[in-house]
Amino acid sequence: LLAIYADNDPVNWRLVESFATTSSSSIVVEEIELDGFGETMRTRGFQAALNQSEALLEQALMQHSPDLLVVLSKGLGIVTFLAVKGLWSGPTVMLSPIPNECDHVKGGSWEAEWKSSMEVLRSHDVGPLAIGVGSSYDEQNLILRIMEDVGVCGDLIKAEMNYEHAMQESSAGKRSQIENSQHHSFLQFEDCTNWIVASFPGDHFWKNLDENAANIANLVAL
């Protein structure tokens, strides 16, 4: 899989790889950093940062031919950008996604940015999507509740997930951490049934904590 950093704090992908590895399957995470993305976004806007990074993104997709993309936070706008450019519509994991106004995402309000972003994802058939968020008030209300309230994909309903794949041939230590993640409910959208959502302990930086590596591995394995 290809993990894209756009001015994001790091994730311990080596630890995530270890949780996702069994005798019969494994993942390899390649990482790319979009240099200067954050500075350009802050000084010239989100669209300018996307335009600046387009060549690097296209090169990385061609070079690695990933089976899956992983983006963090503002990386949601990178996925929608790649979708409208016709560069990506495949399986994607989004960790605490945050929308941003740009040429293809309408602005004016947080709700408008979410609605527009979700419409792009749906109209370009991006997916399956696995979305991880923190359990904090802000994560739940500024991400999950608004994604549901804008009405693009209907209500969130409980999804029955099978963790057997994550438990196979794990060491005792790995098994313990994976078991500790199982009490977190997995949800799906009523009208976007291949969009899976899960909440894990922490705030917007839950994904950067080693104790959530097993949870990220579960998302990737979906």
Side-chain angles (χ1 to χ4, degrees):
L1 62 86
L2 181 63
I4 301 172
Y5 286 102
D7 197 34
N8 304 118
D9 290 325
V11 171
N12 188 344
W13 289 112
R14 305 293 80 80
L15 186 57
V16 173
E17 286 175 339
S18 74
F19 281 116
T21 298
T22 71
S23 64
S24 59
S25 65
S26 64
I27 65 167
V28 175
V29 182
E30 301 289 348
E31 305 171 58
I32 64 164
E33 176 76 41
L34 303 182
D35 293 332
F37 191 97
E39 179 65 22
T40 300
M41 179 185 70
R42 287 185 286 272
T43 58
R44 296 166 48 207
F46 195 75
Q47 184 63 48
L50 291 173
N51 293 340
Q52 171 183 290
S53 302
E54 182 176 358
L56 178 58
L57 287 165
E58 186 169 5
Q59 179 184 6
L61 290 171
M62 292 181 61
Q63 177 182 346
H64 298 292
S65 298
D67 297 309
L68 182 149
L69 286 189
V70 180
V71 296
L72 296 77
S73 190
K74 66 184 75 70
L76 165 59
I78 293 171
V79 175
T80 56
F81 178 71
L82 293 174
V84 298
K85 291 288 184 178
L87 297 173
W88 181 261
S89 62
T92 304
V93 172
M94 300 193 295
L95 307 179
S96 295
I98 297 296
N100 283 271
E101 179 182 356
C102 56
D103 288 353
H104 66 275
V105 172
K106 298 175 184 176
S109 70
W110 192 247
E111 290 81 3
E113 290 176 10
W114 263 118
K115 186 174 188 292
S116 185
S117 296
M118 292 177 69
E119 287 173 342
V120 170
L121 292 171
R122 191 172 186 188
S123 65
H124 288 81
D125 294 321
V126 179
L129 293 180
I131 303 165
V133 300
S135 58
S136 69
Y137 177 88
D138 284 350
E139 289 277 290
Q140 293 295 303
N141 285 278
L142 297 180
I143 300 178
L144 286 196
R145 294 287 74 80
I146 292 184
M147 289 184 75
E148 187 174 29
D149 290 347
V150 297
V152 174
C153 285
D155 293 336
L156 282 166
I157 59 176
K158 186 174 181 180
E160 294 297 329
M161 305 305 299
N162 181 359
Y163 285 88
E164 185 177 353
H165 65 273
M167 298 298 291
Q168 290 175 349
E169 299 186 26
S170 296
S171 68
K174 290 181 183 179
R175 182 176 293 111
S176 174
Q177 283 191 256
I178 292 171
E179 286 172 344
N180 287 339
S181 75
Q182 290 191 35
H183 70 278
H184 305 295
S185 296
F186 277 69
L187 306 172
Q188 67 185 50
F189 282 96
E190 216 169 17
D191 300 329
C192 300
T193 55
N194 66 341
W195 294 23
I196 302 297
V197 180
S199 299
F200 302 114
D203 57 17
H204 193 63
F205 299 98
W206 69 272
K207 53 198 176 292
N208 309 113
L209 304 176
D210 284 355
E211 52 262 41
N212 276 316
N215 292 320
I216 295 174
N218 279 333
L219 283 177
V220 170
L222 294 176

Short mmCIF file of all heavy atoms in Angstrom, two decimals, residues 110-148:
data_model
loop_
_atom_site.label_atom_id
_atom_site.label_comp_id
_atom_site.label_asym_id
_atom_site.label_seq_id
_atom_site.Cartn_x
_atom_site.Cartn_y
_atom_site.Cartn_z
N TRP A 110 -18.27 24.13 6.79
CA TRP A 110 -17.75 22.78 7.04
C TRP A 110 -18.66 21.73 6.41
O TRP A 110 -18.22 20.78 5.78
CB TRP A 110 -17.64 22.58 8.54
CG TRP A 110 -16.88 21.39 9.01
CD1 TRP A 110 -17.39 20.29 9.66
CD2 TRP A 110 -15.46 21.15 8.92
NE1 TRP A 110 -16.38 19.41 9.96
CE2 TRP A 110 -15.20 19.92 9.52
CE3 TRP A 110 -14.41 21.90 8.37
CZ2 TRP A 110 -13.92 19.40 9.60
CZ3 TRP A 110 -13.13 21.37 8.45
CH2 TRP A 110 -12.90 20.13 9.05
N GLU A 111 -19.98 21.94 6.55
CA GLU A 111 -20.95 20.99 5.99
C GLU A 111 -20.85 20.95 4.46
O GLU A 111 -20.92 19.87 3.86
CB GLU A 111 -22.37 21.37 6.42
CG GLU A 111 -22.68 21.16 7.89
CD GLU A 111 -22.16 22.28 8.78
OE1 GLU A 111 -21.60 23.28 8.25
OE2 GLU A 111 -22.31 22.16 10.01
N ALA A 112 -20.70 22.11 3.84
CA ALA A 112 -20.61 22.16 2.38
C ALA A 112 -19.36 21.44 1.88
O ALA A 112 -19.41 20.72 0.86
CB ALA A 112 -20.60 23.61 1.90
N GLU A 113 -18.25 21.60 2.58
CA GLU A 113 -17.02 20.92 2.18
C GLU A 113 -17.16 19.41 2.33
O GLU A 113 -16.69 18.65 1.47
CB GLU A 113 -15.85 21.44 3.01
CG GLU A 113 -15.45 22.87 2.68
CD GLU A 113 -14.35 23.40 3.57
OE1 GLU A 113 -13.74 22.61 4.32
OE2 GLU A 113 -14.08 24.62 3.52
N TRP A 114 -17.79 18.97 3.41
CA TRP A 114 -18.00 17.53 3.59
C TRP A 114 -18.93 16.98 2.51
O TRP A 114 -18.66 15.93 1.92
CB TRP A 114 -18.58 17.24 4.97
CG TRP A 114 -17.55 16.85 5.98
CD1 TRP A 114 -17.21 17.50 7.14
CD2 TRP A 114 -16.69 15.71 5.91
NE1 TRP A 114 -16.20 16.84 7.78
CE2 TRP A 114 -15.87 15.73 7.06
CE3 TRP A 114 -16.52 14.67 4.99
CZ2 TRP A 114 -14.90 14.75 7.31
CZ3 TRP A 114 -15.57 13.69 5.24
CH2 TRP A 114 -14.77 13.75 6.38
N LYS A 115 -20.04 17.66 2.27
CA LYS A 115 -21.00 17.18 1.27
C LYS A 115 -20.35 17.08 -0.10
O LYS A 115 -20.49 16.06 -0.80
CB LYS A 115 -22.21 18.11 1.22
CG LYS A 115 -23.34 17.63 0.32
CD LYS A 115 -24.56 18.56 0.45
CE LYS A 115 -25.76 17.99 -0.28
NZ LYS A 115 -25.58 17.98 -1.75
N SER A 116 -19.62 18.10 -0.48
CA SER A 116 -18.97 18.11 -1.79
C SER A 116 -17.91 17.02 -1.89
O SER A 116 -17.82 16.32 -2.92
CB SER A 116 -18.36 19.48 -2.05
OG SER A 116 -17.82 19.57 -3.34
N SER A 117 -17.11 16.86 -0.85
CA SER A 117 -16.07 15.82 -0.85
C SER A 117 -16.68 14.43 -0.99
O SER A 117 -16.19 13.60 -1.77
CB SER A 117 -15.24 15.89 0.44
OG SER A 117 -14.54 17.11 0.54
N MET A 118 -17.74 14.17 -0.23
CA MET A 118 -18.39 12.86 -0.29
C MET A 118 -19.03 12.62 -1.64
O MET A 118 -19.03 11.50 -2.17
CB MET A 118 -19.40 12.73 0.84
CG MET A 118 -18.76 12.67 2.23
SD MET A 118 -19.97 12.62 3.57
CE MET A 118 -20.66 10.96 3.34
N GLU A 119 -19.59 13.67 -2.24
CA GLU A 119 -20.17 13.53 -3.58
C GLU A 119 -19.12 13.17 -4.61
O GLU A 119 -19.37 12.35 -5.51
CB GLU A 119 -20.89 14.82 -3.95
CG GLU A 119 -22.19 15.03 -3.20
CD GLU A 119 -22.81 16.39 -3.45
OE1 GLU A 119 -22.09 17.30 -3.93
OE2 GLU A 119 -24.01 16.56 -3.17
N VAL A 120 -17.92 13.76 -4.49
CA VAL A 120 -16.83 13.41 -5.41
C VAL A 120 -16.45 11.95 -5.25
O VAL A 120 -16.32 11.20 -6.23
CB VAL A 120 -15.60 14.31 -5.18
CG1 VAL A 120 -14.39 13.79 -5.96
CG2 VAL A 120 -15.89 15.75 -5.59
N LEU A 121 -16.27 11.51 -4.00
CA LEU A 121 -15.90 10.12 -3.75
C LEU A 121 -16.94 9.16 -4.33
O LEU A 121 -16.60 8.16 -4.96
CB LEU A 121 -15.75 9.88 -2.25
CG LEU A 121 -14.58 10.57 -1.55
CD1 LEU A 121 -14.69 10.40 -0.04
CD2 LEU A 121 -13.23 10.04 -2.05
N ARG A 122 -18.20 9.48 -4.10
CA ARG A 122 -19.26 8.58 -4.55
C ARG A 122 -19.42 8.61 -6.07
O ARG A 122 -19.55 7.56 -6.71
CB ARG A 122 -20.58 8.95 -3.87
CG ARG A 122 -21.65 7.90 -4.09
CD ARG A 122 -22.90 8.13 -3.29
NE ARG A 122 -23.80 6.99 -3.46
CZ ARG A 122 -25.04 6.94 -3.02
NH1 ARG A 122 -25.55 7.96 -2.34
NH2 ARG A 122 -25.78 5.87 -3.23
N SER A 123 -19.39 9.80 -6.66
CA SER A 123 -19.61 9.90 -8.11
C SER A 123 -18.48 9.29 -8.91
O SER A 123 -18.68 8.86 -10.05
CB SER A 123 -19.81 11.36 -8.52
OG SER A 123 -18.63 12.12 -8.30
N HIS A 124 -17.28 9.21 -8.32
CA HIS A 124 -16.14 8.61 -9.00
C HIS A 124 -15.88 7.18 -8.54
O HIS A 124 -14.84 6.59 -8.86
CB HIS A 124 -14.89 9.47 -8.81
CG HIS A 124 -14.93 10.76 -9.57
ND1 HIS A 124 -15.61 11.87 -9.12
CD2 HIS A 124 -14.39 11.11 -10.78
CE1 HIS A 124 -15.47 12.84 -10.01
NE2 HIS A 124 -14.74 12.40 -11.02
N ASP A 125 -16.83 6.62 -7.79
CA ASP A 125 -16.76 5.22 -7.35
C ASP A 125 -15.45 4.89 -6.64
O ASP A 125 -14.85 3.82 -6.86
CB ASP A 125 -16.95 4.26 -8.53
CG ASP A 125 -18.35 4.36 -9.12
OD1 ASP A 125 -19.31 4.50 -8.33
OD2 ASP A 125 -18.48 4.32 -10.36
N VAL A 126 -14.96 5.80 -5.81
CA VAL A 126 -13.75 5.53 -5.04
C VAL A 126 -14.08 4.52 -3.95
O VAL A 126 -15.03 4.69 -3.19
CB VAL A 126 -13.19 6.82 -4.41
CG1 VAL A 126 -11.95 6.51 -3.59
CG2 VAL A 126 -12.88 7.85 -5.50
N GLY A 127 -13.28 3.48 -3.86
CA GLY A 127 -13.53 2.50 -2.81
C GLY A 127 -13.08 1.11 -3.18
O GLY A 127 -12.56 0.88 -4.27
N PRO A 128 -13.30 0.19 -2.24
CA PRO A 128 -13.91 0.37 -0.93
C PRO A 128 -13.14 1.38 -0.07
O PRO A 128 -11.93 1.54 -0.24
CB PRO A 128 -13.87 -1.02 -0.30
CG PRO A 128 -13.65 -1.97 -1.43
CD PRO A 128 -12.86 -1.20 -2.45
N LEU A 129 -13.88 2.03 0.87
CA LEU A 129 -13.28 2.98 1.79
C LEU A 129 -13.34 2.42 3.21
O LEU A 129 -14.38 1.92 3.64
CB LEU A 129 -14.04 4.31 1.76
CG LEU A 129 -13.98 5.17 0.50
CD1 LEU A 129 -14.80 6.43 0.70
CD2 LEU A 129 -12.54 5.52 0.16
N ALA A 130 -12.23 2.52 3.92
CA ALA A 130 -12.19 2.23 5.35
C ALA A 130 -11.77 3.52 6.04
O ALA A 130 -10.71 4.07 5.75
CB ALA A 130 -11.21 1.11 5.66
N ILE A 131 -12.61 4.00 6.93
CA ILE A 131 -12.41 5.31 7.56
C ILE A 131 -12.24 5.11 9.06
O ILE A 131 -13.13 4.56 9.73
CB ILE A 131 -13.61 6.23 7.28
CG1 ILE A 131 -13.83 6.37 5.77
CG2 ILE A 131 -13.41 7.59 7.94
CD1 ILE A 131 -15.18 6.96 5.39
N GLY A 132 -11.11 5.56 9.59
CA GLY A 132 -10.86 5.48 11.02
C GLY A 132 -10.86 6.87 11.63
O GLY A 132 -10.28 7.80 11.07
N VAL A 133 -11.51 7.00 12.78
CA VAL A 133 -11.55 8.28 13.48
C VAL A 133 -11.29 8.05 14.97
O VAL A 133 -11.40 6.92 15.47
CB VAL A 133 -12.91 9.00 13.31
CG1 VAL A 133 -13.20 9.27 11.84
CG2 VAL A 133 -14.04 8.19 13.94
N GLY A 134 -10.95 9.11 15.68
CA GLY A 134 -10.76 9.03 17.11
C GLY A 134 -12.09 9.07 17.85
O GLY A 134 -13.13 9.42 17.30
N SER A 135 -12.02 8.74 19.13
CA SER A 135 -13.23 8.69 19.96
C SER A 135 -13.56 10.04 20.60
O SER A 135 -14.59 10.16 21.28
CB SER A 135 -13.05 7.65 21.06
OG SER A 135 -11.92 7.96 21.87
N SER A 136 -12.73 11.05 20.39
CA SER A 136 -12.94 12.34 21.03
C SER A 136 -14.20 13.03 20.49
O SER A 136 -14.71 12.69 19.41
CB SER A 136 -11.73 13.25 20.80
OG SER A 136 -11.64 13.63 19.44
N TYR A 137 -14.67 14.02 21.22
CA TYR A 137 -15.87 14.76 20.83
C TYR A 137 -15.71 15.38 19.44
O TYR A 137 -16.61 15.28 18.59
CB TYR A 137 -16.17 15.85 21.87
CG TYR A 137 -17.36 16.72 21.53
CD1 TYR A 137 -18.64 16.35 21.93
CD2 TYR A 137 -17.19 17.90 20.80
CE1 TYR A 137 -19.74 17.13 21.61
CE2 TYR A 137 -18.29 18.68 20.47
CZ TYR A 137 -19.55 18.31 20.87
OH TYR A 137 -20.63 19.08 20.54
N ASP A 138 -14.58 16.04 19.20
CA ASP A 138 -14.36 16.70 17.91
C ASP A 138 -14.36 15.70 16.77
O ASP A 138 -14.95 15.95 15.70
CB ASP A 138 -13.04 17.48 17.93
CG ASP A 138 -13.15 18.78 18.70
OD1 ASP A 138 -14.27 19.17 19.07
OD2 ASP A 138 -12.10 19.41 18.93
N GLU A 139 -13.67 14.58 16.95
CA GLU A 139 -13.61 13.57 15.87
C GLU A 139 -15.01 13.03 15.56
O GLU A 139 -15.38 12.86 14.40
CB GLU A 139 -12.69 12.43 16.29
CG GLU A 139 -11.23 12.79 16.33
CD GLU A 139 -10.56 12.70 14.98
OE1 GLU A 139 -10.39 11.60 14.46
OE2 GLU A 139 -10.19 13.77 14.44
N GLN A 140 -15.77 12.75 16.61
CA GLN A 140 -17.10 12.16 16.41
C GLN A 140 -18.06 13.16 15.77
O GLN A 140 -18.85 12.80 14.89
CB GLN A 140 -17.65 11.67 17.74
CG GLN A 140 -16.89 10.50 18.35
CD GLN A 140 -16.99 9.25 17.50
OE1 GLN A 140 -18.09 8.77 17.21
NE2 GLN A 140 -15.85 8.72 17.08
N ASN A 141 -18.00 14.42 16.20
CA ASN A 141 -18.99 15.39 15.75
C ASN A 141 -18.57 16.14 14.49
O ASN A 141 -19.43 16.50 13.67
CB ASN A 141 -19.29 16.38 16.87
CG ASN A 141 -20.16 15.76 17.94
OD1 ASN A 141 -21.38 15.69 17.82
ND2 ASN A 141 -19.53 15.27 19.00
N LEU A 142 -17.28 16.36 14.30
CA LEU A 142 -16.83 17.10 13.13
C LEU A 142 -16.52 16.20 11.94
O LEU A 142 -16.30 16.68 10.83
CB LEU A 142 -15.60 17.95 13.47
CG LEU A 142 -15.82 19.03 14.53
CD1 LEU A 142 -14.53 19.81 14.79
CD2 LEU A 142 -16.94 19.98 14.13
N ILE A 143 -16.50 14.90 12.20
CA ILE A 143 -16.28 13.95 11.10
C ILE A 143 -17.50 13.04 10.94
O ILE A 143 -18.29 13.19 10.01
CB ILE A 143 -14.99 13.12 11.31
CG1 ILE A 143 -13.77 14.04 11.37
CG2 ILE A 143 -14.82 12.12 10.15
CD1 ILE A 143 -12.45 13.33 11.62
N LEU A 144 -17.71 12.13 11.87
CA LEU A 144 -18.77 11.13 11.69
C LEU A 144 -20.16 11.73 11.60
O LEU A 144 -20.93 11.41 10.69
CB LEU A 144 -18.73 10.10 12.82
CG LEU A 144 -17.60 9.08 12.80
CD1 LEU A 144 -17.92 7.93 13.74
CD2 LEU A 144 -17.35 8.55 11.40
N ARG A 145 -20.50 12.59 12.56
CA ARG A 145 -21.86 13.13 12.58
C ARG A 145 -22.15 13.96 11.34
O ARG A 145 -23.24 13.88 10.76
CB ARG A 145 -22.08 13.95 13.84
CG ARG A 145 -22.06 13.18 15.14
CD ARG A 145 -23.30 12.31 15.36
NE ARG A 145 -23.34 11.10 14.55
CZ ARG A 145 -22.67 9.98 14.83
NH1 ARG A 145 -21.88 9.94 15.90
NH2 ARG A 145 -22.77 8.91 14.06
N ILE A 146 -21.17 14.75 10.92
CA ILE A 146 -21.41 15.59 9.73
C ILE A 146 -21.47 14.72 8.47
O ILE A 146 -22.30 14.97 7.59
CB ILE A 146 -20.34 16.68 9.60
CG1 ILE A 146 -20.49 17.70 10.73
CG2 ILE A 146 -20.45 17.39 8.25
CD1 ILE A 146 -19.54 18.87 10.65
N MET A 147 -20.62 13.69 8.37
CA MET A 147 -20.70 12.80 7.22
C MET A 147 -22.09 12.18 7.10
O MET A 147 -22.61 12.00 6.00
CB MET A 147 -19.65 11.68 7.34
CG MET A 147 -18.21 12.14 7.15
SD MET A 147 -17.04 10.76 7.20
CE MET A 147 -17.34 10.01 5.58
N GLU A 148 -22.67 11.87 8.24
CA GLU A 148 -24.03 11.31 8.24
C GLU A 148 -25.06 12.38 7.95
O GLU A 148 -25.98 12.18 7.14
CB GLU A 148 -24.30 10.66 9.59
CG GLU A 148 -25.61 9.89 9.68
CD GLU A 148 -25.76 9.16 10.98
OE1 GLU A 148 -25.20 9.62 12.02
OE2 GLU A 148 -26.43 8.12 11.01
#
